[in-house]
């Protein structure tokens, strides 16, 4: 400080002024930065969670925040390009009209679609039932595909091609999610690369640089002590195990490999069992809620049958991981590898369950035995507006998922906490409090997000529901964490956790591409509702529009799509 | 920084804070040092008191804050870190120093310490990684070499002003 003051005496007037102002500018910048952290959603909450529970749990909550934002942006996208023009034109605001072009060469039978909009007197509980399963009055709202049965929207003299907009928004939201996830995972990956830079230095790094000097809270300090101790112990243990593995005899190796093969076969058998039961249950529930068009009635079945696929999927998602974590003990892998293998199996189980559900739905829709789908290409009697039906299934899955998360927190965690604090019998104390298992929770929300991605094509307002759902889940999980969980004994490193979350999310997104792609490109779009009535498949909008462009533009676009250009473009 | 220093002094002595020394017990109430397992070593290293009571004057306080701030170079940080980790003050990190260091890191209570077998294995590994001249101890240059390649060191020494 003295030397600084001495320097100042010798500087000229201008430089002195600049120096004092640069100091105050720096101060202002740091203040502004501090203030702007208040604007970020939940910054304060996540910071306090980090201080009390460690960075791994904090990364779960920032992942949740990321999903809320992503869903909100997707919702804005879909709303402004699809729902808003439709609503504006339906109510005639801004001098707009809609045009419904009915093509001459579609069979009349294909276009019959009478959704029961609950006209007349109905019992009150039907509203509740409709809310939970997306039928009745909800079916005719803008929530589902069937509402968008317009072909063109004219606002003053501008023509807004709604079918094209619908298709392009679908591509846009998938592309947006993909780009955003990749960008986030690249940042996380760079961090983890730096972290794991030199395996030869890991012990020194942990011991000399392990303590975070920013910690001010004694609880956080205790947590850090525990996590450091655990990390050091894990590393030492892994070294000992590696030594043990290197010392194994051939006979032992053989035994272990054959045991592993056997357990993998068991795992595959369990998975196939789950898939088959989901298929059977979906078929059963669809048959029960059939539409009888002749009589203009719709016999919606009772709640349980409607929700049967969701119940079975949730059960499978719950029991599967338990069995997997039991089996992994026999396979004698290194601890880190054990965790990865169990996680991969759980991920595959959850995502494949959704895939099987969709597959069974499609097999029902395209069930063409006995000439059921002769004129229209799909089973038009049972599914006059099949996109709405798929949207309904996704909606049901999402609502059910949300209900389950809330009920588990309310009816399992809180009573357990009450029991543990007030009852002192040995069995209860041995059970103890649940610890916050990050991997299970993350898989849960990724499962929900995959459903949202698949469902958005069939039900454009689904991202709004997802945003609200994740928003509420944030607070539920936070309260449950603070009040009913004990701190984890096994802290995981945060940067690898982040990369793990994002890569599983990416797998979910890629999985979501498949159903949407198949629906757009190969299943004939329903002729009775929706913006793609006059096309064979939804994809046909694009070639149609291109053919309407001026010749030069057509040539340009064909050139783009030709192989010489497209392949290097995709590689880059 | 001056404000924080004068807050540590009892009320009567505040006007003349520049020339006063703050006793160790008050320094330890600082939020950054409260939860820090190396608090005693830090006070000892930065204190220039001849009486050996680890009290700090304002100059010592400034020294400490400047070493821990983001703008200190890694040379300075590693130099001071070496002095902090050297528990017996003999200028090198031998096995006893390392053992005490690890115990500080894992926690002060009995059940949070590593077992002696684990401690042995850990110290062996550390010496294998950092002891270049294989004399069983780590001197300042070996320490600085190891720390310069460590990605976490630059981040851990930052303290909010």
């Amino acid at each position: 400080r003295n030397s600084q003051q001495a320097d100042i005496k010798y500087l000229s007037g201008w430089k002195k002024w600049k120096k004092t102002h640069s100091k105050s500018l720096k101060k202002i910048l740091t203040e502004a930065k501090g203030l702007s952290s208040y604007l970020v959603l939940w910054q304060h909450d996540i910071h306090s969670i980090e201080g009390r529970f460690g960075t791994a749990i904090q990364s779960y909550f920032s992942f949740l925040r990321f999903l809320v934002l992503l869903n909100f942006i997707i919702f804005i996208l879909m709303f402004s390009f699809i729902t808003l023009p439709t609503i504006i034109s339906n109510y005639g605001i801004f001098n707009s009209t809609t045009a419904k072009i009915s093509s001459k060469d579609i069979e009349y039978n294909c276009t019959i679609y009478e959704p029961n909009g609950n006209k007349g007197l109905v019992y009150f509980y039907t509203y509740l039932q409709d809310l939970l399963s997306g039928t009745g009055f909800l079916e005719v709202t803008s929530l589902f595909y069937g509402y968008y049965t317009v072909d063109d929207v004219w606002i003053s003299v501008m023509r807004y091609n709604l079918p094209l907009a619908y298709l392009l928004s679908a591509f846009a939201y998938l592309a947006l999610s993909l780009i955003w996830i990749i960008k986030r995972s690249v940042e996380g990956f760079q961090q983890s690369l730096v972290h794991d830079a030199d395996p030869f230095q890991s012990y020194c790094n942990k011991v000399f640089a392990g303590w975070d000097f920013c910690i001010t809270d004694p609880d956080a300090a205790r947590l850090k002590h525990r996590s450091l101790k655990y990390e050091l112990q894990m590393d030492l243990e892994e070294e000992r195990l590696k030594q043990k593995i290197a010392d194994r005899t051939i006979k032992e190796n053989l035994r272990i490999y054959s045991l592993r093969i056997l357990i993998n076969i068991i795992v595959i058998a369990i998975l196939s069992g789950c898939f088959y039961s989901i298929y059977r249950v979906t078929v059963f529930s669809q048959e029960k809620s059939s539409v009888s068009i002749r009589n203009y009635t719709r016999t919606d079945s009772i709640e349980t049958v409607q929700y049967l696929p969701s119940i079975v999927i949730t059960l499978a998602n719950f029991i599967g991981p338990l069995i997997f974590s039991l089996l992994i003990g026999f396979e004698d892998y290194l601890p880190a590898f054990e965790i990865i293998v169990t996680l991969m199996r759980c991920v595959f189980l959850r995502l494949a369950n959704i895939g099987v559900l969709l597959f069974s739905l499609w097999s029902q829709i395209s069930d063409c035995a006995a000439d059921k789908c002769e004129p229209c290409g799909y089973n038009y009697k049972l599914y006059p507006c099949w996109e709405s039906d798929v949207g309904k299934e996704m909606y049901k899955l999402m609502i059910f998922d949300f209900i389950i998360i809330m009920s588990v927190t309310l009816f399992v965690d809180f009573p357990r906490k009450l029991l543990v604090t007030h009852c002192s019998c040995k069995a209860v104390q041995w059970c103890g409090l649940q610890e916050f298992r990050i991997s299970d929770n993350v898989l849960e929300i990724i499962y929900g997000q995959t459903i949202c991605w698949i469902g958005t094509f069939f039900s454009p307002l689904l991202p709004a529901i997802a945003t609200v759902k994740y928003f509420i889940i944030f607070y539920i999980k936070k309260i449950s964490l603070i009040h009913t969980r004990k701190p984890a004994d096994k802290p995981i490193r945060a940067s690898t956790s982040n990369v793990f979350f994002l890569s599983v999310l990416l797998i979910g997104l890629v999985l979501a591409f498949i159903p949407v792609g198949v629906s757009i490109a190969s299943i004939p779009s329903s002729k009775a509702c929706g913006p793609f009535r006059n096309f064979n498949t939804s994809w046909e909008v694009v070639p149609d529009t291109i053919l309407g462009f001026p010749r030069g533009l057509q040539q340009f676009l064909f050139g783009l799509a030709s192989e010489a250009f497209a392949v290097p473009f995709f590689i880059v | 920084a001056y404000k924080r220093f004068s807050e540590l002094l009892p009320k009567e002595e505040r006007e003349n804070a520049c020339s006063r020394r703050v006793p160790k017990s008050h320094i330890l109430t600082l939020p950054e040092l409260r939860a820090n397992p190396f608090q005693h070593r830090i006070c000892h290293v930065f204190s220039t008191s001849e009486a050996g009571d680890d009290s700090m004057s304002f100059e010592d306080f400034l020294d400490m804050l400047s070493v821990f701030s983001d703008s200190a170079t890694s040379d300075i940080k590693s130099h001071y870190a070496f002095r902090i980790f050297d528990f017996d003050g003999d200028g090198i990190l031998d096995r006893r120093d390392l053992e005490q260091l690890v115990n500080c890191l894992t926690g002060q209570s009995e059940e949070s310490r590593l077992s002696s077998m684990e401690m042995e294995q850990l110290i062996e590994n550390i010496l294998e990684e950092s002891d270049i001249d294989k004399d069983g101890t780590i001197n300042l240059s070996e320490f600085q070499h190891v720390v310069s390649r460590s990605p976490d060191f630059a981040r851990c020494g930052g303290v909010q002003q």
Side-chain angles (χ1 to χ4, degrees), chain A residues 229-431:
Chain A
K229 173 177 171 221
Y230 186 74
E231 256 195 75
L232 288 171
Q233 279 179 326
M234 277 324 307
D235 283 343
L236 294 170
E237 166 109 13
E238 201 156 322
E239 199 182 321
R240 281 198 293 268
L241 276 175
K242 278 194 191 137
Q243 188 63 30
K244 202 177 87 169
I245 289 179
D247 290 340
R248 270 200 208 133
T249 62
I250 295 187
K251 194 164 147 208
E252 276 179 17
N253 263 336
L254 218 63
R255 186 186 71 92
I256 287 198
Y257 282 130
S258 49
L259 195 60
R260 283 182 191 169
I261 292 177
L262 178 68
I263 290 185
N264 276 315
I265 294 179
I266 296 179
V267 164
I268 293 178
I270 294 176
L271 286 174
S272 345
C274 285
F275 296 159
Y276 182 69
S277 49
I278 293 174
Y279 177 75
R280 291 287 331 147
V281 159
T282 313
V283 167
F284 175 72
S285 121
Q286 289 291 320
E287 277 167 7
K288 281 291 171 187
S289 60
S290 56
V291 178
S292 165
I293 294 202
R294 298 287 133 98
N295 306 336
Y296 287 106
T297 56
R298 186 183 179 87
T299 51
D300 283 325
S301 48
I302 54 174
E303 278 312 288
T304 339
V305 177
Q306 288 258 354
Y307 268 101
L308 216 46
S310 323
I311 296 177
V312 170
I313 290 184
T314 312
L315 269 177
N317 284 340
F318 179 69
I319 298 179
L322 286 177
I323 301 183
F324 292 153
S325 45
L326 203 67
L327 286 176
I328 198 86
F330 296 112
E331 290 185 74
D332 205 16
Y333 289 120
L334 288 173
F337 195 64
E338 255 182 31
I339 298 178
I340 293 178
V341 167
T342 320
L343 280 172
M344 284 294 111
R345 287 179 180 158
C346 295
V347 164
F348 183 68
L349 176 71
R350 280 187 185 255
L351 297 181
N353 280 341
I354 307 178
V356 170
L357 174 71
L358 289 168
F359 174 74
S360 40
L361 270 180
W362 273 313
S363 67
Q364 289 291 95
I365 292 172
S366 352
D367 178 16
C368 289
D371 283 346
K372 270 191 250 171
C373 35
E374 206 26 59
C376 319
Y378 56 92
N379 196 342
Y380 67 95
K381 286 218 187 79
L382 285 179
Y383 301 104
C385 189
W386 63 264
E387 285 99 341
S388 280
D389 287 314
V390 177
K392 263 185 277 174
E393 285 298 320
M394 295 293 118
Y395 173 79
K396 277 191 277 192
L397 274 181
M398 181 162 275
I399 298 282
F400 192 70
D401 190 40
F402 183 48
I403 293 177
I404 288 287
I405 292 180
M406 276 211 299
S407 351
V408 164
T409 313
L410 279 176
F411 298 122
V412 173
D413 290 337
F414 278 100
R416 190 167 175 172
K417 165 88 188 270
L418 284 173
L419 218 61
V420 168
T421 36
H422 294 293
C423 168
S424 50
C425 67
K426 263 236 160 79
V428 169
Q429 289 300 328
W430 176 76
C431 254

Side-chain angles (χ1 to χ4, degrees), chain B residues 71-133:
Chain B
S71 39
T73 66
S74 88
D75 264 348
I76 296 183
K77 282 198 209 245
S78 54
H79 177 88
Y80 275 98
F82 185 77
R83 286 181 62 191
I84 291 175
F85 292 153
D86 186 12
F87 284 83
D88 49 15
D90 55 0
I92 48 170
L93 296 180
D94 59 9
R95 278 172 178 263
R96 276 195 314 272
D97 289 326
L98 290 175
E99 200 175 316
Q100 266 189 300
L101 172 59
V102 171
N103 281 334
C104 269
L105 280 178
T106 59
Q108 295 302 333
S109 56
E110 266 312 307
E111 73 264 5
S112 61
R113 296 190 176 193
L114 296 179
S115 72
S116 54
M117 188 186 72
E118 287 169 340
M119 184 70 77
E120 269 303 310
Q121 192 183 354
L122 180 60
I123 294 183
E124 276 305 319
N125 281 319
I126 294 177
L127 285 175
E128 199 180 302
E129 284 172 7
S130 51
D131 193 7
I132 303 176
D133 54 8

